[in-house]
Amino acid sequence: MIAFKTLCFGTALVLTTLLAGCPEESSESDSHAQTSGVVRAWFDTHARPQDDLYRAANGHWLDREAARADDGAAHGGDNADERSTQRLRAIFEDPSRKLKTSTPSLQRARDFYASYLDRAAIERRGSRSLEPVFARIDAMRDARDIAAVFSYLDSLDIPVPVANQFFTHPDDAGHPRWASRIIDRGSLFLPDESSANAQSVDALRTRTTDYIRKMLNLSGDAGAAAHAADVVDFEAALSRIQSAPRSSEDRPESDRRFTPTELRALAPRFDWDAYFEENGTSGKTASVFVEHPDYIRALDMLLGQVSLDALKAHLKFKTIEQYADALPEAVRNTRIQFKLRGGDTSPDMSRLHAAIETTGRYFPLAVGREYAARHFTAERKAHARATAEQLRKAYRDRVSKADWLDAEARKQALTLVDTVVFSLGYPDAWGDDPAHAVVRDDALGNLLRANHSHHDAWAVKLGTRADLTERDSVTPHAVEAVYIPDTHTIAISAAFIEHWVSSLDNDDATRYGGLGVVLGHELSHAFDPGASWFTDHRNWSEATLAHYRARNDRLTHYYEKLEALPGIQVDGALTLAENFADVAGVQAAYDAYVMSAGAAQARVIDGLTGPQRFFYAYAQMHRSQTNTYDAIESAESDSHAPKRVRVNAVARTMSSFHDAFSVVPRDAMYLPPNERIVIW
Ligand SMILES: [Zn+2]
């Protein structure tokens, strides 16, 4: 069971540093921001914005962080996730008189957290709480049992070959409803024997077998050695069918909907009735989505071939692996060592970090409420909201005037602009987290109960209309800014706004250069080349379609001429959707600023005019420093261009940037007017 959310802005980092010292708020670095919110101390005063806006705005900061980045601390002292983590730790450890909200759920969250760090109790209890789970696995006799056990384990968040994901999907009338889709949750991804060199496959297989044997052994399996070999065979077979070409994915997701009868035709050996009865979703919807029908068909065959014993060992191994954080140190360490040797540079090293992250995830509302009460005032939320409404107006204006849209495309686009839901800082209304028993010295039991009750809370909703409070789905303490297409919602959390947006309160220019840009970027994702607005273009004229494609082609060519790193070009196709969102988003945010500030644009603050502050705030929000290894990896696989490229490439497309800094043809940032790209 996984809730569906895609991160598309900002940084998703796994924190590897052990948090040390007292849980009090660290003194905030760089708090010497001046009145506008632009931090002059970060400038490189030898660089000119006309030649390199990103460097001019961030040069001093970049040099300072470079040394730390190569030491392995991803974002040094400027790590948003780390700050949020420290604040959460204070919420869990502060004496209760310091709490600003005292809901029963928050108390349970604090107990849950305490149990996670109670090493002695974890060692003492061992894997006892998993006994009922193992008993269910051991009792499997036939196809019906197998399907039911898959479903049961899935509700405990254990990765099984047939998993269920809850999400919202518009019904025929366009209202979002809770729906479910069948997904696969991966294998250990042993490489396909035919495609890798035999020696490394053998080495990986040996290492993996050894790992599985140790894990099974630690769970008390007397036949661990034989079982480990079976599990590896099954994992390899799973990985083969998961990586096989999938012709069914050519069809849009809305065509991959299956009624119970169609499911039985797709996978006749799998007992779908038992699966849906077990997880409480039977009969709640007329059909379910299937992410990869070809995979399910192949899995059905595979399940007919695997022995019951091998399947049992596989499921037990998956169970132990998933719950390793709440199991004795020997289990946890075995998993960490395996991941480290597999080249994973950032496995969760500290139990403390796991405790903080997990508690924040299982009690998002109680913890988020306390976080918001401490760190994000209602006034800030109102400011964010006002910025969003102004951005909506500016975006509407651009879409209304875009001469290449035909009537139908324009109508659809305006509807999307008018109806997008802004979920900013913290939710408008507070619900409560699913209630499950929390026992102060039973981390493993707490985690099992938490997963089960979260699953049940989703299952109850299946088929019903998603209401506005649910759509208001931002988690205050998660550092995230996302566009969620299913609910047409833009969620930007308190932790994100605070860290990445330099100013909400002081100056329009920095407010729109920061938060306005993020809002514009996320809203533009509703129109990017992967969005349903474009993919369902059935009623558009040929001319509009051609214009849209031409704009994207221009963007692709424009970016692929730029260097991500010396000698490595930006992948124009891979980064197209994000570049589209950047260009359209910043341009709309600038309009929103102009509409809002009017004549006040001319006012000089911190030695900068309004338009200059807009662009500096934009560039500083994107400040980023990574080590060389990560930078190369990102250039090859990240759907975003590097931050330096994002900032400079977008600014160059804008005449307002040229005007703001009097950019002329001999400057490096200059782009002739006929080469500047406008989406709307
Ligand atoms: Zn994005």
Side-chain angles (χ1 to χ4, degrees):
M1 187 281 299
I2 329 168
F4 179 65
K5 222 176 204 185
T6 323
L7 184 75
C8 87
F9 199 98
T11 44
L13 294 170
V14 179
L15 191 67
T16 55
T17 45
L18 186 87
L19 296 170
C22 80
E24 292 301 313
E25 187 94 350
S26 66
S27 67
E28 286 169 28
S29 58
D30 300 312
S31 59
H32 42 276
Q34 297 178 15
T35 49
S36 72
V38 171
V39 186
R40 293 198 68 112
W42 293 344
F43 285 12
D44 175 349
T45 47
H46 300 294
R48 300 169 65 239
Q50 293 87 346
D51 292 327
D52 186 344
L53 171 66
Y54 184 73
R55 176 81 209 170
N58 299 310
H60 182 74
W61 182 92
L62 288 167
D63 294 344
R64 191 188 73 191
E65 295 297 318
R68 293 203 233 187
D70 277 326
D71 276 350
H75 279 242
D78 200 38
N79 186 328
D81 300 81
E82 188 169 342
R83 180 157 81 160
S84 173
T85 302
Q86 282 172 349
R87 288 175 165 184
L88 289 182
R89 187 178 178 189
I91 289 172
F92 302 143
E93 294 187 6
D94 275 353
S96 41
R97 66 183 152 74
K98 281 184 134 185
L99 297 177
K100 292 190 183 293
T101 63
S102 48
T103 58
S105 289
L106 183 59
Q107 192 45 54
R108 290 190 307 117
R110 283 158 59 95
D111 288 344
F112 183 96
Y113 170 81
S115 75
Y116 233 80
L117 292 177
D118 189 344
R119 292 268 295 273
I122 287 173
E123 296 296 329
R124 191 175 66 242
R125 283 180 176 265
S127 58
R128 221 176 309 151
S129 295
L130 285 177
E131 279 166 14
V133 182
F134 287 166
R136 283 279 316 252
I137 295 172
D138 280 330
M140 291 195 313
R141 296 281 173 270
D142 53 24
R144 186 173 172 78
D145 296 339
I146 292 172
V149 167
F150 276 12
S151 181
Y152 167 66
L153 297 181
D154 178 53
S155 69
L156 297 174
D157 200 29
I158 293 159
V160 286
V162 182
N164 182 47
Q165 183 182 53
F166 295 103
F167 70 118
T168 56
H169 188 83
D171 61 18
D172 294 340
H175 301 300
R177 268 178 199 279
W178 291 104
S180 79
R181 65 160 80 88
I182 299 296
I183 59 168
D184 66 76
R185 284 197 62 190
S187 62
L188 289 172
F189 286 107
L190 299 172
D192 180 0
E193 284 85 345
S194 60
S195 68
N197 87 53
Q199 217 175 2
S200 69
V201 171
D202 279 351
L204 178 63
R205 190 176 259 274
T206 308
R207 196 158 57 76
T208 308
T209 311
D210 190 47
Y211 166 57
I212 296 171
R213 183 186 53 75
K214 278 186 192 149
M215 292 291 264
L216 288 174
N217 211 356
L218 286 164
S219 76
D221 180 351
H227 288 150
D230 286 348
V231 174
V232 167
D233 286 343
F234 185 63
E235 288 276 345
L238 266 184
S239 138
R240 256 193 306 279
I241 62 172
Q242 278 163 356
S243 53
R246 291 162 173 176
S247 59
S248 51
E249 276 171 54
D250 298 343
R251 289 147 55 190
E253 184 175 51
S254 48
D255 293 348
R256 282 180 258 147
R257 232 189 263 212
F258 290 75
T259 63
T261 312
E262 288 164 339
L263 273 179
R264 279 192 286 274
L266 177 71
R269 291 173 200 80
F270 194 77
D271 194 327
W272 294 100
D273 292 340
Y275 186 87
F276 294 122
E277 273 162 30
E278 174 71 32
N279 70 11
T281 64
S282 186
K284 291 204 161 172
T285 53
S287 59
V288 298
F289 293 81
V290 177
E291 192 179 33
H292 306 302
D294 290 345
Y295 160 77
I296 293 294
R297 191 178 296 117
L299 178 73
D300 193 51
M301 308 267 284
L302 180 62
L303 289 176
Q305 294 155 5
V306 67
S307 78
L308 207 50
D309 269 358
L311 197 56
K312 287 177 183 176
H314 168 80
L315 295 173
K316 283 185 190 171
F317 163 68
K318 288 295 194 191
T319 303
I320 307 160
E321 197 183 37
Q322 184 68 7
Y323 281 87
D325 270 336
L327 283 163
E329 208 56 24
V331 179
R332 212 174 159 268
N333 275 337
T334 304
R335 191 191 54 165
I336 289 173
Q337 291 309 320
F338 177 74
K339 296 214 162 182
L340 273 178
R341 263 180 283 143
D344 185 345
T345 53
S346 53
D348 257 346
M349 296 297 287
S350 96
R351 208 179 263 275
L352 174 60
H353 181 256
I356 295 170
E357 191 274 328
T358 309
T359 312
R361 190 150 44 86
Y362 284 100
F363 298 87
L365 294 166
V367 174
R369 193 169 187 172
E370 174 71 16
Y371 185 97
R374 289 179 178 217
H375 304 294
F376 206 79
T377 61
E379 195 191 358
R380 301 205 89 201
K381 186 171 164 68
H383 275 170
R385 177 85 209 180
T387 310
E389 289 307 333
Q390 186 72 277
L391 186 278
R392 192 203 300 272
K393 239 161 121 186
Y395 214 101
R396 192 172 213 293
D397 232 45
R398 283 215 168 223
V399 172
S400 304
K401 290 178 188 153
D403 57 7
W404 57 276
L405 289 171
D406 62 34
E408 183 60 30
R410 191 187 314 279
K411 197 177 109 201
Q412 291 169 356
L414 287 174
T415 304
L416 283 173
V417 174
D418 291 342
T419 55
V420 71
V421 177
F422 295 115
S423 186
L424 304 172
Y426 55 84
D428 289 336
W430 292 104
D432 205 354
D433 300 307
H436 48 88
V438 174
V439 179
R440 230 188 128 92
D441 68 346
D442 183 14
L444 181 58
N446 289 341
L447 198 53
L448 284 160
R449 287 184 287 272
N451 276 317
H452 213 283
S453 72
H454 274 262
H455 172 275
D456 288 352
W458 289 105
V460 164
K461 291 180 194 165
L462 189 62
T464 64
R465 281 265 293 268
D467 74 20
L468 274 173
T469 352
E470 288 164 345
R471 292 178 71 184
D472 203 352
S473 49
V474 69
T475 305
H477 49 280
V479 185
E480 63 180 13
V482 291
Y483 170 64
I484 307 166
D486 291 339
T487 50
H488 194 37
T489 297
I490 292 171
I492 306 178
S493 70
F496 181 96
I497 293 174
E498 275 189 295
H499 189 82
W500 291 109
V501 175
S502 56
S503 161
L504 264 190
D505 312 324
N506 302 337
D507 175 27
D508 267 357
T510 49
R511 183 146 62 106
Y512 287 97
L515 183 60
V517 163
V518 181
L519 287 158
H521 174 101
E522 298 306 338
L523 180 51
S524 300
H525 274 309
F527 306 101
D528 77 28
S532 58
W533 179 70
F534 169 61
T535 50
D536 297 342
H537 56 250
R538 272 162 273 211
N539 297 326
W540 293 12
S541 65
E542 280 303 317
T544 291
L545 205 53
H547 273 295
Y548 182 82
R549 290 191 172 128
R551 275 167 166 71
N552 284 302
D553 288 346
R554 276 190 75 188
L555 272 179
T556 306
H557 295 139
Y558 173 64
Y559 276 89
E560 68 193 6
K561 277 190 243 142
L562 305 171
E563 274 190 330
L565 292 166
I568 302 179
Q569 303 301 117
V570 173
D571 186 334
L574 174 71
T575 57
L576 174 62
E578 294 299 334
N579 296 335
F580 177 100
D582 275 347
V583 170
V586 180
Q587 292 176 354
Y590 189 82
D591 290 357
Y593 164 59
V594 170
M595 285 166 74
S596 169
Q601 287 173 71
R603 221 177 115 213
V604 172
I605 306 176
D606 301 335
L608 302 166
T609 66
Q612 289 172 343
R613 295 195 302 279
F614 175 93
F615 286 106
Y616 270 112
Y618 166 52
Q620 291 197 329
M621 180 177 64
H622 277 297
R623 69 191 182 277
S624 165
Q625 186 61 280
T626 44
N627 60 49
T628 317
Y629 175 82
D630 288 346
I632 293 173
E633 185 154 292
S634 298
E636 286 165 356
S637 62
D638 196 336
S639 60
H640 303 81
K643 296 294 182 85
R644 176 183 52 80
V645 173
R646 289 179 74 177
V647 168
N648 288 350
V650 173
R652 296 176 75 213
T653 65
M654 296 171 68
S655 297
S656 44
F657 169 75
H658 290 75
D659 295 343
F661 293 95
S662 307
V663 181
V664 294
R666 67 170 179 277
D667 297 327
M669 291 280 290
Y670 179 80
L671 201 64
N674 63 346
E675 291 180 30
R676 296 173 196 167
I677 301 171
V678 175
I679 305 287
W680 305 110

